Amino acid sequence: MRDGKRNSEFIRLCDDAPVNAPSSPSAGTPPTEPAPKSPGFAAEFKDAVTLRAFGLVLGGLLVQLAFVVSYVGAFHSPTPQRIPVAVVAPQQASAKIVAQLNALDGEPVKATAASSTAVAREWVMTRRTDAAFLFNPNGTEDTLLVASAGGPSVSQTATQIAQKIEASEKRQISVTDIRPPNPGDGRGMTSFYLVLGWVIGGYLTATIMGMASGSRPANRPRTLIRLAVLIPYAVVSGVAGAVIVGPVFDALGGHFWALSAIGTLTVLASAATALALQTLLGLLGTGLVVLLFVVLGNPSSGGVYPAPLLPAFWSAIGQALPPGAGTTLVRNTVYFSGHATSSALWVLGAYAVGGAALAWGASWWRETRGADAPTAPPATV
């Protein structure tokens, strides 16, 4: 009885207790900590946009603006500058015509007397001149020989100049294209696009190899391995490009092995140079590669407008860069029996060999620099 009374009293006390009564700290529940204060917008911005990120964005902006300036500067107003032209005429008229052409305002033409039509034709086909003017002493219609496969825009410009001069002399001009582009080559741009693909593929592959484990090879063995890997890649790229423009699209057919070799050399020139600059300069080297090969190299290559139509700066640098040298080498191999290609071969070879040597030297320099760096003292606990 006494125990039952006690249990009833305990149940009554529990029922009367408030449900949401706070627990006592002594019950073992830890007190709630206040929420951390926000660091503020300025601190968040500083943490999100580091100095390195700002520098990369600024570098991207500069490359973008350089791209626009280079392409617009090269292409916005093509103006003929000393287009090489052979002149065939009787001796008494030849000197007068040559002097008249060379005296034109702005020097759009650089005329040279040729002894015969056969010689003038040979000059055009060997790329000594871009056109040949054949004067007819027995009539009022002269002939202009062009080879539009070497650059349709130059042939068109030479035709326009000849037509203007002939109209002022009350004469007529007929144009003969002795080497047009292949039917599958359209406006003769396939050479440029093919080389553009080779160059881009070369430096992108070198960049990817560097990014796989850091943008700077750690030592000379790794650099030599990467250079060795680039050789079969370049061979495959050259053969694949030749297949695309040959059997696949029949744009530059009939020169499969020659184009394969040119492609291999072009890819090696691009990739080795990119590897060298990235090894030497890191991320800055990648930007320099884009500047040389894309921003400056493409508009000056002669693919869109050959050198006689480009402003002086782009005309001067075009054949000294892989895109220009490669485009000339492909065009002259396919359309002009390999004439006027020795300079382009030397340029591409210099980039390939020089790039490989510089990459190895840069990795050796970085190894030496790392070995000479002072070792930090061990941290004390």
Side-chain angles (χ1 to χ4, degrees), residues 181-186 188-191 194 241-255 259 334-335:
N182 294 336
D185 193 9
M189 297 288 289
T190 302
S191 301
L194 176 61
V243 169
I244 292 172
V245 300
V248 175
F249 291 109
D250 196 25
L252 303 176
H255 300 81
L259 290 179
V334 172
Y335 291 116

Side-chain angles (χ1 to χ4, degrees), residues 283-305:
L283 188 59
L284 181 61
T286 301
L288 185 57
V289 169
V290 174
L291 178 66
L292 287 175
F293 292 169
V294 179
V295 175
L296 296 177
N298 287 347
S300 65
S301 66
V304 179
Y305 292 125

Side-chain angles (χ1 to χ4, degrees), residues 62-123:
L62 293 177
V63 171
Q64 170 189 316
L65 295 178
F67 183 94
V68 175
V69 169
S70 183
Y71 278 72
V72 174
F75 298 152
H76 78 288
S77 181
T79 303
Q81 298 289 331
R82 300 175 65 83
I83 298 175
V85 176
V87 174
V88 179
Q91 187 172 3
Q92 62 272 20
S94 178
K96 179 182 177 180
I97 296 173
V98 169
Q100 180 184 5
L101 292 175
N102 289 335
L104 293 174
D105 292 339
E107 297 185 331
V109 170
K110 179 184 178 182
T112 305
S115 58
S116 66
T117 300
V119 171
R121 186 184 183 93
E122 180 186 357
W123 285 3

Side-chain angles (χ1 to χ4, degrees), residues 176-306:
T176 301
D177 193 346
I178 60 177
R179 184 51 58 87
N182 294 336
D185 193 9
R187 292 185 54 79
M189 297 288 289
T190 302
S191 301
F192 169 64
Y193 292 131
L194 176 61
V195 172
L196 178 62
W198 281 333
V199 170
I200 291 177
Y203 76 72
L204 278 182
T205 300
T207 302
I208 291 171
M209 291 175 63
M211 292 174 62
S213 56
S215 60
R216 296 174 183 173
N219 49 42
R220 285 170 287 174
R222 183 179 299 173
T223 299
L224 291 177
I225 291 172
R226 292 179 178 180
L227 288 170
V229 170
L230 288 176
I231 294 176
Y233 171 81
V235 173
V236 172
S237 297
V239 172
V243 169
I244 292 172
V245 300
V248 175
F249 291 109
D250 196 25
L252 303 176
H255 300 81
F256 178 81
W257 292 113
L259 290 179
S260 297
I262 294 171
T264 300
L265 180 59
T266 302
V267 173
L268 281 176
S270 173
T273 303
L275 181 62
L277 293 177
Q278 291 159 2
T279 303
L280 184 64
L281 302 174
L283 188 59
L284 181 61
T286 301
L288 185 57
V289 169
V290 174
L291 178 66
L292 287 175
F293 292 169
V294 179
V295 175
L296 296 177
N298 287 347
S300 65
S301 66
V304 179
Y305 292 125

